[in-house]
Amino acid sequence: PLKPFTVDFEFARVEKLMGIKIPDAEIRRTLEALGFAIEGSGPKFKVTAPSWRPDIHGPADLVEEVARIAGLESVPSAPLPRLT
């Protein structure tokens, strides 16, 4: 069996990386529906990945899960800076 993996996670990181505001309650609901255990009352939470998710390695992976469920079409596009 895999050892449980816990990530320190701030829900505000979702908006920072995705560019859209998702209510904290919806982020919590989404992660719990996907099998993640969440402890704490914020702003930092302890999020434990379910045993069947060995692909979760850090906060960016949790943001990706929330974005996937929220719908990637809701994430605004942003051009990459040009290297000259």
Side-chain angles (χ1 to χ4, degrees), residues 18-81:
M18 284 180 45
I20 60 171
K21 176 70 176 152
I22 297 178
D24 290 354
E26 187 176 339
I27 293 171
R28 178 182 285 275
R29 245 187 338 269
T30 299
L31 292 173
E32 288 176 341
L34 293 171
F36 293 88
I38 302 173
E39 296 177 14
S41 58
K44 283 192 178 182
F45 297 88
K46 298 279 188 190
V47 179
T48 303
S51 62
W52 63 88
R53 294 301 305 269
D55 59 320
I56 303 299
H57 302 288
D61 295 319
L62 298 176
V63 171
E64 181 182 5
E65 291 302 309
V66 172
R68 183 173 63 84
I69 299 301
L72 294 176
E73 67 279 352
S74 64
V75 178
S77 62
L80 295 173

